[in-house]
Amino acid sequence: MLKTCKYRIYPSKAQITQLENQLELCRFVYNKTLATRKDAWEQRQESLGYYDTAPMLPIWKKEKPALKKVHSQVLQNVQMRVDLAYQAFFRRVKAGEDPGYPRFKGRGWYDSMTYPQYGNGATLDGNKLNLSKIGSVKVNLHRELCGTPKTVCLRRGAGNKWFVTFACECPDLVLPADQKAVGIDVGLQAFATLSNGAKIANPRFFRKDEKALAKAQRKLAKADKGTLARKKAKQVVGRIHERISNKRLDFAHQVSRQLVNHFSILCFEDLSVKAMMAHKMQVFGHKLNKSMADVAWHQLVQCATYKAESAGRRVVLVDPRNTSKRCSRCGSLVQKDLSVRLHHCPTCGLVLDRDHNAAINILALGLQRIGSVP
């Protein structure tokens, strides 16, 4: 399966200038491709695809010679990104969702470029990354590549940091088969509660850095636009967001790895966090949107899914309706709001932690879905 390996790179000041210029040229191609396809439909009712716009690149290079400073396949990938944006737009239209027409990229809003073929424009030589038209860039190889590299992506991060990501074809590391299964109920008080009664504490990364972020954002708001002080304040805000994001992702990787190593079947609720946040759920008058965004449940499920696939294990998503209300012993529905943390069944007398009860129900639904006997 394909896995990505991400590393920090350290380009020189001159190379940073070259990279930023290349990103701006990629942004130009993206916007021009989007405008060409948009005008073709609005003026002639003609629907253009990737293979219709790709032959236009040589013409654009003659009109704008600076485009020759960017590797040809990188520019082709930019046009492919526009095509993927249109495919996603039509998919949302067909599904009856809010389609969100592809948008033009403003200055500074294009942060990555991809070499579709490893070895063609980008190669790794020891701890050096050799880039076409850029030169040799130092790479912090904190771990070896996990397989055969296929594509290379350069990304500009917060605080003028630069990263390279290799998409690698890796062999699956299948873990020994067993029959252990677990239901996992994600929440806010505890990050996750397992059907065996174990709990994983909620780290609340955003809450811990919230004051520092608010202070940095106030300083950014007071800085005049276009000044060096505003640029530096913006970098500080970006670094805090990056730190929170990195902690959250690392936590999701660690928890998902432990779960996959210990259980062969992992059952989660198929939650729509976006819909839950739009519903503006409250407990004791306090809105939960910020807390739900902080825990990043979907990130845990994503990490567990690909790790399980590589290890020969399975992730099962179940319908979340009434998992907290249904009694795990007798199946009766016990109405309770979010503030009630204890499940007390008046039918069979079961008294159990609310999240533990839900996790047992999730496990039963997951096993039922795959045809196993609980």
Side-chain angles (χ1 to χ4, degrees), residues 227-244:
T227 62
L228 181 61
R230 184 175 179 86
K231 182 179 179 180
K232 290 183 177 180
K234 187 176 181 180
Q235 289 179 349
V236 172
V237 172
R239 281 198 296 268
I240 295 174
H241 277 297
E242 182 186 35
R243 182 170 68 234
I244 296 171

Side-chain angles (χ1 to χ4, degrees), residues 56-68:
M56 300 179 185
L57 269 176
I59 301 173
W60 296 348
K61 286 182 179 180
K62 292 179 181 179
E63 298 173 352
K64 193 177 180 69
L67 292 175
K68 296 179 182 179

Side-chain angles (χ1 to χ4, degrees), residues 5-8 139-144:
C5 298
K6 181 179 178 181
Y7 305 96
R8 175 88 181 269
V139 183
N140 180 17
L141 282 173
H142 59 276
R143 61 189 174 109
E144 294 184 2

Side-chain angles (χ1 to χ4, degrees), residues 263-314:
F263 302 100
S264 59
I265 302 174
L266 284 71
C267 305
F268 292 93
E269 291 177 301
D270 189 10
L271 296 174
S272 174
V273 180
K274 185 176 180 180
M276 293 170 68
M277 294 178 68
H279 188 59
K280 298 181 179 179
M281 301 170 68
Q282 298 185 22
V283 174
F284 297 124
H286 298 288
K287 295 180 180 179
L288 303 179
N289 282 19
K290 190 183 294 186
S291 297
M292 285 192 289
D294 191 16
V295 288
W297 298 319
H298 184 62
Q299 197 170 57
L300 171 67
V301 177
Q302 280 186 317
C303 291
T305 300
Y306 89 80
K307 285 182 173 65
E309 182 181 350
S310 177
R313 307 211 163 181
R314 189 167 183 178

Side-chain angles (χ1 to χ4, degrees), residues 12-312:
S12 65
K13 289 184 178 180
Q15 288 174 332
I16 289 176
T17 300
Q18 290 177 292
L19 288 168
E20 290 181 339
N21 288 338
Q22 288 196 7
L23 286 179
E24 280 302 299
L25 291 169
C26 288
R27 184 178 71 89
F28 168 81
V29 172
Y30 186 97
N31 288 341
K32 192 168 181 65
T33 304
L34 179 56
T36 300
R37 294 181 62 157
K38 187 171 182 288
D39 292 343
W41 177 257
E42 292 178 349
Q43 297 173 10
R44 305 185 300 275
Q45 295 293 295
E46 182 182 1
S47 180
L48 300 182
Y50 168 74
Y51 293 103
D52 298 309
T53 58
M56 300 179 185
L57 269 176
I59 301 173
W60 296 348
K61 286 182 179 180
K62 292 179 181 179
E63 298 173 352
K64 193 177 180 69
L67 292 175
K68 296 179 182 179
K69 297 179 180 179
V70 186
H71 194 271
S72 59
Q73 287 198 348
V74 171
L75 296 180
Q76 292 168 8
N77 178 262
V78 172
Q79 292 192 319
M80 181 60 71
R81 292 186 185 190
V82 178
D83 192 63
L84 291 173
Y86 269 98
Q87 290 179 28
F89 167 74
F90 292 126
R91 175 185 56 76
R92 290 191 294 269
V93 170
K94 188 176 181 180
E97 303 173 5
D98 183 14
Y101 194 83
R103 293 185 292 181
F104 293 98
K105 303 287 186 180
R107 185 174 181 84
W109 285 92
Y110 199 95
D111 292 321
S112 68
M113 52 187 178
T114 301
Y115 297 83
Q117 290 181 313
Y118 176 80
N120 192 347
T123 54
L124 190 63
D125 183 13
N127 65 341
K128 297 288 185 180
L129 179 65
N130 297 320
L131 298 172
S132 173
K133 307 180 189 296
I134 297 292
S136 181
V137 182
K138 182 182 177 182
V139 183
N140 180 17
L141 282 173
H142 59 276
R143 61 189 174 109
E144 294 184 2
L145 290 174
C146 63
T148 305
K150 296 295 184 180
T151 66
V152 181
C153 180
L154 301 180
R155 180 175 295 276
R156 176 175 57 193
N160 211 25
K161 294 179 182 178
W162 288 83
F163 300 90
V164 60
T165 301
F166 298 92
C168 301
E169 186 71 40
C170 303
D172 291 337
L173 301 176
V174 179
L175 296 174
D178 58 46
Q179 297 301 317
K180 291 182 180 178
V182 66
I184 304 160
D185 179 62
V186 292
L188 297 179
Q189 285 197 345
F191 176 74
T193 303
L194 309 188
S195 54
N196 60 11
K199 286 182 177 289
I200 300 172
N202 186 352
R204 294 183 169 87
F205 295 119
F206 180 82
R207 294 292 186 180
K208 291 178 181 178
D209 279 341
E210 191 173 13
K211 289 185 178 179
L213 179 60
K215 182 178 179 181
Q217 288 175 327
R218 286 195 298 269
K219 190 171 182 179
L220 173 62
K222 293 177 182 178
D224 295 329
K225 291 185 177 181
T227 62
L228 181 61
R230 184 175 179 86
K231 182 179 179 180
K232 290 183 177 180
K234 187 176 181 180
Q235 289 179 349
V236 172
V237 172
R239 281 198 296 268
I240 295 174
H241 277 297
E242 182 186 35
R243 182 170 68 234
I244 296 171
S245 176
N246 288 342
K247 288 180 180 179
R248 189 180 290 137
L249 179 60
D250 180 64
F251 180 74
H253 276 301
Q254 291 190 36
V255 172
S256 59
R257 172 49 60 195
Q258 292 173 6
L259 292 172
V260 170
N261 284 350
H262 287 86
F263 302 100
S264 59
I265 302 174
L266 284 71
C267 305
F268 292 93
E269 291 177 301
D270 189 10
L271 296 174
S272 174
V273 180
K274 185 176 180 180
M276 293 170 68
M277 294 178 68
H279 188 59
K280 298 181 179 179
M281 301 170 68
Q282 298 185 22
V283 174
F284 297 124
H286 298 288
K287 295 180 180 179
L288 303 179
N289 282 19
K290 190 183 294 186
S291 297
M292 285 192 289
D294 191 16
V295 288
W297 298 319
H298 184 62
Q299 197 170 57
L300 171 67
V301 177
Q302 280 186 317
C303 291
T305 300
Y306 89 80
K307 285 182 173 65
E309 182 181 350
S310 177

